[in-house]
Amino acid sequence: MGMKLGYDLKIEQSQKLVMTPELIQAIQILKFNTQELDSYVQEQLLINPVLEQAGGEQRHAERRTDSDREERIGSMDDRRGEASASRRDDDFDWKEYIKDRGYDDISYRQWEDRNGEDRENSYEQYVSSDITLSEHLMFQLECATERKGCRRVGEYIIESLDENGYMTSTPEEIAEATGVSVEKVGEVLDMIHGFDPVGVGAEDLAECLMIQLRSQDQLTELFEKVIKEHLEDMANGRYNVIAKELGISLQQVQAMNDIIKTLEPKPGRLFASGTDPRYIVPDVVIEKVDDDYVVSVNESSAPRLMISSYYSKLMKQSEEDDNLSKYLSDRVNSAVWLIKSIEQRKQTIYNVVTAVMEHQREFLDRGVKYLKTLTLKDIAEELGIHESTVSRSINGKYLQCPRGVFEIKYFFSAGVSGNHGEGISSNSIKEFIKEIVDSEDPRSPYSDQTMVSMLGEKGINISRRTVAKYRDELSIPSSSKRRRY
């Protein structure tokens, strides 16, 4: 049977989702966190002349009022001179003088009353400057020696330190780069080892710890041997191995470990790293009013935009110019869609957080131990939206409640079912494990299997492997490493 080749025309009816630019924009806006949304809005304000941020006209009016006020005050100089000639300055009521002549308007009140603060020199205009490790060490180097050769080598060493205060170059490399002997580099290094913070300029962790012990007059031959040869055993709690090889008691090893724990393994981290700190701005605020919790979206996380009144008037006057009318119409439609998308984002976040807090009411009332299991599917089905919408609405967003500031994702976690059928969050189980460890006898810490039994008494049935997993996530060592002798 031969195959028929040829062209044919058929009419088919099908359904498909078309991702318009507007829909893509709305999805992006929902996914943005506070900082990303603010950056996007600022970009749109530059691109679209029709858009205007709410409050812009008010700020412009304030600036204009300030300018008018300066002109008025300047025009009053002559009058004040005439008035001061007839009476003493300390008896003259300037406020009454200005009021009598019709200058007691809003501009004068702004100029006169600033809650006792000087607007031009308020504390809010100044930012503290953190001292970096390099700056701190350079200052000490200037005070420690006047010899230019030592300063040059010292500056090279300080600039070569990493953010934790450790050396990144060998003495041989420093000697070659600065044109001095290795012995000279060693002398300067010994001097830097005495700088604050103690332990800075070390080649490795062992040397850093020994420098600190030496400064405290606690570096004995035994201590030095433990640090050089058994530091890993000490970190892993293998006290029996150390005691057997060095011929000392377990109590002595434990005491040495206690001293080592008081030392700073990264002396450079006490200083500024040169990177700006990142602050969390909560997108949602939950406040307790009487016996109820009120959810409100942070207004600063959702910029308020408006259509410029100037372009609204211009659009009405541009009916005769088709090109101008089309351009303004497109810009206005784009601006309206952006404003609607931001409002829709705000409403979606509000709905999701409200639903989450209904599920986690016991957490708000009683604490972390009462977190329940919650999935994206639960909230999506309750609100009648897709799981991806819920995911985008909580992505990178935070809420502030009486219990603290949390990422919204924190409230979505798997867990186990209790004896009474209720869901118990993994975060709640971790809190129970932490409480058990905090209350244990250090000489006889609880094993993972013992904690399984203790959790079972609370109605939480999990395996030993799960306990070990949660314990590792809490950075809690095993029972052998927690044991005290």
Side-chain angles (χ1 to χ4, degrees):
M1 183 176 179
M3 181 182 295
K4 181 181 178 181
L5 298 176
Y7 297 100
D8 196 8
L9 292 175
K10 292 190 298 183
I11 299 176
E12 292 183 352
Q13 187 176 9
S14 63
Q15 290 183 337
K16 62 180 180 179
L17 176 64
V18 179
M19 296 287 286
T20 62
E22 290 81 6
L23 182 57
I24 294 174
Q25 182 190 53
I27 293 174
Q28 287 178 336
I29 288 175
L30 179 61
K31 188 177 180 180
F32 285 154
N33 59 29
T34 302
Q35 290 77 18
E36 291 171 339
L37 179 61
D38 184 65
S39 299
Y40 183 77
V41 167
Q42 295 304 321
E43 180 183 340
Q44 293 300 312
L45 287 170
L46 293 174
I47 295 174
N48 193 342
V50 174
L51 266 178
E52 193 172 86
Q53 194 158 358
E57 291 183 351
Q58 181 180 356
R59 287 193 296 270
H60 176 71
E62 288 178 357
R63 289 195 297 268
R64 185 177 57 198
T65 304
D66 290 342
S67 176
D68 294 343
R69 185 196 65 225
E70 291 174 1
E71 292 179 4
R72 291 178 181 179
I73 293 175
S75 66
M76 288 170 1
D77 286 343
D78 295 338
R79 300 181 185 178
R80 287 188 296 188
E82 295 173 1
S84 60
S86 60
R87 64 181 69 183
R88 295 175 57 188
D89 289 340
D90 55 354
D91 294 334
F92 192 81
D93 191 342
W94 288 108
K95 184 176 180 180
E96 194 66 28
Y97 173 80
I98 294 175
K99 183 177 180 180
D100 291 342
R101 283 153 181 77
Y103 289 105
D104 191 23
D105 58 1
I106 184 63
S107 64
Y108 169 70
R109 289 196 294 273
Q110 286 179 341
W111 163 60
E112 181 241 5
D113 186 14
R114 283 290 179 179
N115 296 324
E117 295 179 0
D118 188 351
R119 187 177 59 175
E120 299 298 327
N121 296 284
S122 62
Y123 287 111
E124 287 77 7
Q125 292 180 326
Y126 299 95
V127 203
S128 62
S129 177
D130 294 328
I131 298 176
T132 63
L133 176 64
S134 177
E135 293 171 344
H136 185 64
L137 295 175
M138 286 294 187
F139 175 76
Q140 295 176 77
L141 180 65
E142 292 288 331
C143 301
T145 180
E146 295 181 355
R147 297 164 60 183
K148 292 184 179 179
C150 290
R151 283 189 179 180
R152 188 177 75 257
V153 176
E155 289 172 358
Y156 190 93
I157 293 173
I158 292 172
E159 292 294 343
S160 67
L161 299 178
D162 63 16
E163 60 182 10
N164 294 320
Y166 285 95
M167 294 282 292
T168 58
S169 303
T170 63
E172 291 76 17
E173 292 173 343
I174 297 172
E176 183 179 353
T178 56
V180 299
S181 64
V182 177
E183 291 76 14
K184 185 69 173 178
V185 174
E187 292 178 11
V188 179
L189 262 177
D190 289 339
M191 179 177 63
I192 292 176
H193 288 165
F195 287 177
D196 177 72
V198 181
V200 73
E203 293 185 5
D204 51 31
L205 176 60
E207 185 181 10
C208 178
L209 298 177
M210 288 191 292
I211 291 172
Q212 296 179 60
L213 289 171
R214 189 180 297 114
S215 70
Q216 300 173 7
D217 294 328
Q218 295 188 33
L219 185 61
T220 61
E221 291 184 6
L222 182 62
F223 233 138
E224 188 170 347
K225 191 167 186 178
V226 168
I227 291 176
K228 286 183 176 180
E229 301 176 8
H230 300 284
L231 194 58
E232 187 174 346
D233 292 331
M234 187 75 81
N236 292 317
R238 295 192 286 264
Y239 301 149
N240 290 319
V241 175
I242 301 173
K244 184 177 179 181
E245 291 194 12
L246 300 180
I248 58 178
S249 66
L250 289 172
Q251 288 78 9
Q252 285 180 282
V253 178
Q254 183 81 69
M256 297 171 75
N257 183 59
D258 291 341
I259 294 175
I260 291 176
K261 285 182 177 179
T262 63
L263 306 178
E264 175 54 67
K266 299 177 180 179
R269 67 180 173 182
L270 303 174
F271 293 84
S273 61
T275 58
D276 295 332
R278 297 291 182 262
Y279 299 98
I280 292 176
V281 178
D283 298 82
V284 184
V285 178
I286 300 175
E287 296 177 306
K288 187 172 185 179
V289 180
D290 297 330
D291 293 330
D292 199 8
Y293 292 94
V294 179
V295 179
S296 59
V297 179
N298 189 353
E299 291 297 332
S300 64
S301 68
R304 299 182 62 186
L305 301 175
M306 58 185 291
I307 307 296
S308 172
S309 57
Y310 170 77
Y311 286 98
S312 299
K313 296 177 182 177
L314 186 63
M315 189 174 179
K316 296 177 182 178
Q317 300 171 1
S318 62
E319 296 178 357
E320 298 179 358
D321 191 335
D322 293 338
N323 292 331
L324 179 58
S325 178
K326 184 178 184 305
Y327 172 78
L328 290 177
S329 178
D330 291 342
R331 294 295 87 194
V332 168
N333 290 336
S334 176
V336 170
W337 181 264
L338 177 61
I339 294 171
K340 287 183 177 179
S341 298
I342 292 176
E343 287 300 318
Q344 182 64 40
R345 170 189 182 272
K346 178 179 176 181
Q347 187 62 43
T348 303
I349 294 174
Y350 173 82
N351 293 339
V352 169
V353 172
T354 301
V356 169
M357 288 301 103
E358 287 295 326
H359 284 270
Q360 304 292 5
R361 177 64 185 257
E362 280 196 83
F363 162 81
L364 294 172
D365 291 334
R366 306 170 70 180
V368 179
K369 292 188 294 183
Y370 297 91
L371 269 175
K372 295 181 180 179
T373 58
L374 187 64
T375 63
L376 298 176
K377 185 178 180 181
D378 296 334
I379 300 299
E381 290 179 351
E382 183 176 331
L383 298 178
I385 57 180
H386 197 271
E387 288 182 44
S388 62
T389 304
V390 179
S391 177
R392 291 188 182 98
S393 64
I394 67 174
N395 179 56
K397 299 173 181 67
Y398 292 79
L399 67 83
Q400 177 181 313
C401 66
R403 295 285 171 184
V405 177
F406 300 88
E407 190 174 8
I408 302 178
K409 284 183 179 179
Y410 176 79
F411 300 97
F412 291 84
S413 62
V416 299
S417 296
N419 291 342
H420 302 290
E422 76 281 8
I424 302 175
S425 169
S426 58
N427 293 320
S428 299
I429 300 174
K430 290 178 185 178
E431 189 68 19
F432 281 115
I433 292 175
K434 187 175 182 299
E435 279 190 359
I436 292 173
V437 172
D438 290 341
S439 63
E440 69 184 1
D441 182 1
R443 292 182 177 82
S444 180
Y446 297 119
S447 65
D448 291 345
Q449 188 59 48
T450 304
M451 284 194 277
V452 169
S453 303
M454 297 175 72
L455 290 171
E457 294 174 1
K458 298 178 181 292
I460 304 172
N461 299 315
I462 57 177
S463 65
R464 185 197 60 80
R465 182 177 296 179
T466 305
V467 170
K469 173 188 173 184
Y470 289 163
R471 178 175 52 73
D472 289 339
E473 290 177 359
L474 290 169
S475 300
I476 297 175
S478 61
S479 58
S480 60
K481 295 180 182 178
R482 299 199 308 272
R483 185 179 179 185
R484 303 282 300 177
Y485 296 95

